[in-house]
Amino acid sequence: TGASQSYSAIMDYDMAGFDVEATAVPKAECQVSLMSSTSTMVDPGSFVVSQLFVQSTATSATTQQPQTYSLNVSRLTGTETTLHQLSVKGAYLVPGWNASQKVYTANLNLEEDLIRINFQKLDNGQSVTLAAELEAPVARRLASSLDEVPQLGEVQR
């Protein structure tokens, strides 16, 4: 009854346009009107707002305002370098996940030998490269002879 609802969607860079299909339910009581019947094209880095209206078909409701649905569709530019999501199983990230952060340290949990990196690209056309550096623990000095090994109960210096 005259209310409006808004939705948003993001298209990958490789997608040139989109189609909207809608069916009013229950069909016997309402119908969709003023919906585009052709593909809507969206330029890279731009957006388009598509609207459709659902009107009651009851004769007593002909004076009521239709229900408005707005769909704001934006298209990625193709130059995005951020990920949508990143997580590491078996470790924790420092700093914590933030889409604008590009460098992290993954601290391995003590009970783990391996970590698994999971990520979701912002744009399916992106290519992702992972680079890693091993951070080795401080090397322990090994005794060169038994004389250097502390005896039980002896204070170690």
Side-chain angles (χ1 to χ4, degrees):
T1 59
S4 178
Q5 294 187 25
S6 297
Y7 299 91
S8 63
I10 299 174
M11 295 172 35
D12 283 347
Y13 171 74
D14 287 339
M15 301 171 72
F18 67 95
D19 296 317
V20 175
E21 294 181 19
T23 304
V25 176
K27 289 181 181 182
E29 297 177 21
C30 53
Q31 65 184 11
V32 176
S33 63
L34 298 176
M35 185 174 69
S36 174
S37 60
T38 62
S39 293
T40 303
M41 307 310 282
V42 183
D43 292 330
S46 148
F47 69 93
V48 171
V49 176
S50 180
Q51 289 188 318
L52 60 102
F53 303 92
V54 177
Q55 179 73 49
S56 173
T57 56
T59 55
S60 62
T62 56
T63 59
Q64 290 181 350
Q65 293 293 325
Q67 172 82 31
T68 304
Y69 293 89
S70 297
L71 178 60
N72 184 336
V73 180
S74 59
R75 181 176 171 193
L76 297 173
T77 63
T79 60
E80 289 81 7
T81 61
T82 58
L83 293 175
H84 179 69
Q85 183 271 337
L86 173 70
S87 64
V88 181
K89 185 175 179 180
Y92 62 94
L93 294 176
V94 175
W97 164 245
N98 180 336
S100 62
Q101 179 74 31
K102 303 282 195 247
V103 178
Y104 295 92
T105 297
N107 292 304
L108 189 65
N109 295 334
L110 292 176
E111 63 276 357
E112 300 290 337
D113 290 330
L114 299 171
I115 61 173
R116 180 179 177 157
I117 300 171
N118 299 307
F119 61 89
Q120 183 178 1
K121 299 181 282 186
L122 182 64
D123 185 342
N124 286 325
Q126 288 176 302
S127 62
V128 176
T129 302
L130 298 174
E133 295 177 15
L134 290 177
E135 291 185 11
V138 176
R140 296 182 184 161
R141 187 173 83 63
L142 298 176
S144 58
S145 72
L146 287 178
D147 294 334
E148 294 182 34
V149 178
Q151 300 302 312
L152 287 177
E154 184 179 356
V155 176
Q156 298 180 26
R157 292 181 182 72

